[in-house]
Amino acid sequence: MTVTQMPRGRRVRRAPRSAATAVTLLLTAALTVPVAHADPPGVTEDSSPPVHIDTADPDLRMVQGAKLAPSKVLNIKSIVEADDGSERRQDTNDNVTFALQAEVLFGKDSADLSSDALSRIGTIASEIKKQNATHLRVFGFTDNLGSAGHGLALSKKRANAVQQELAKDLGSSVSFQIRGYGEQYPIADNGTEEGRKKNRRVEVSFPRAS
């Protein structure tokens, strides 16, 4: 800590330059972090409490004047991602979501499934059977390059391709919700190629087994 002599005998303490620099860097980082986006429509998590809590119950032994906040169930997320980021599984209280990068499923600007895609989709189908899921959501996404209209059309075609492959394995007892969202709902920064690669994806989600 340095001390600077000021006129009339006043002394002003200044923070070390290194600390001020650190604060500036922290503020800059906070301002440049991409904003989190909501889940696509149709993907919801139930946060309602399983039991009623009586806020007037004397056994709570609360400090006089204190009040309980509204009760809810915290949604715990577990995310497992492949080392190369090509595949990601997210488990929450209510849903299971698989995300596959477009590069492992399709050629560039294509909606034709590659040979490698079939085994990956088969793994998802096996998990769907294990969870006894009968209502599936298949959503396609792109990055923000090119026109928005082209991205919407391509993402829908890719979602359709994955759905058709799943249907072969799962049969007619499973219903599908299929959407193409284009560049909407990114999960990474579209300002870098690494981020755009993550955003080019198809997600398959379904309710967890009770």
Side-chain angles (χ1 to χ4, degrees):
M1 183 72 74
T2 59
V3 179
T4 302
Q5 187 71 37
M6 299 296 289
R8 299 180 183 178
R10 296 178 61 189
R11 311 182 93 190
V12 178
R13 291 183 178 273
R14 293 181 179 174
R17 181 172 298 178
S18 59
T21 302
V23 171
T24 301
L25 291 174
L26 286 173
L27 288 173
T28 302
L31 292 173
T32 55
V33 171
V35 177
H37 293 266
D39 289 325
V43 180
T44 59
E45 300 288 340
D46 183 11
S47 61
S48 58
V51 296
H52 172 70
I53 297 178
D54 182 6
T55 57
D57 191 328
D59 289 335
L60 289 176
R61 301 181 184 277
M62 296 178 62
V63 176
Q64 186 176 5
K67 294 182 179 180
L68 284 178
S71 56
K72 63 180 180 179
V73 175
L74 295 178
N75 187 29
I76 300 174
K77 290 185 178 181
S78 169
I79 299 176
V80 178
E81 188 174 66
D83 290 339
D84 59 0
S86 62
E87 196 169 339
R88 177 170 54 89
R89 172 176 173 157
Q90 175 179 293
D91 289 79
T92 64
N93 295 348
D94 297 327
N95 295 287
V96 178
T97 301
F98 286 91
L100 298 174
Q101 286 185 4
E103 278 76 359
V104 305
L105 297 175
F106 311 98
K108 184 176 180 180
D109 204 32
S110 170
D112 296 327
L113 290 170
S114 65
S115 56
D116 184 41
L118 302 183
S119 62
R120 293 175 183 261
I121 295 173
T123 299
I124 296 176
S126 297
E127 183 63 21
I128 292 170
K129 293 176 181 177
K130 180 180 177 181
Q131 297 282 346
N132 296 315
T134 57
H135 302 284
L136 309 181
R137 297 174 291 264
V138 185
F139 295 160
F141 306 87
T142 62
D143 57 29
N144 65 348
L145 299 182
S147 70
H150 177 72
L152 282 172
L154 180 61
S155 63
K156 179 63 182 301
K157 289 179 181 177
R158 286 176 167 176
N160 280 332
V162 173
Q163 180 272 328
Q164 290 168 11
E165 190 61 32
L166 284 171
K168 293 178 183 177
D169 201 351
L170 299 174
S172 58
S173 61
V174 175
S175 63
F176 291 90
Q177 179 186 3
I178 310 165
R179 296 285 187 274
Y181 286 106
E183 64 188 60
Q184 300 179 70
Y185 308 106
I187 58 174
D189 183 8
N190 270 315
T192 67
E193 176 53 29
E194 181 181 359
R196 290 191 293 270
K197 189 175 182 180
K198 288 186 176 182
N199 291 332
R200 298 189 294 264
R201 67 195 191 279
V202 174
E203 292 186 358
V204 180
S205 60
F206 47 90
R208 286 179 57 85
S210 301

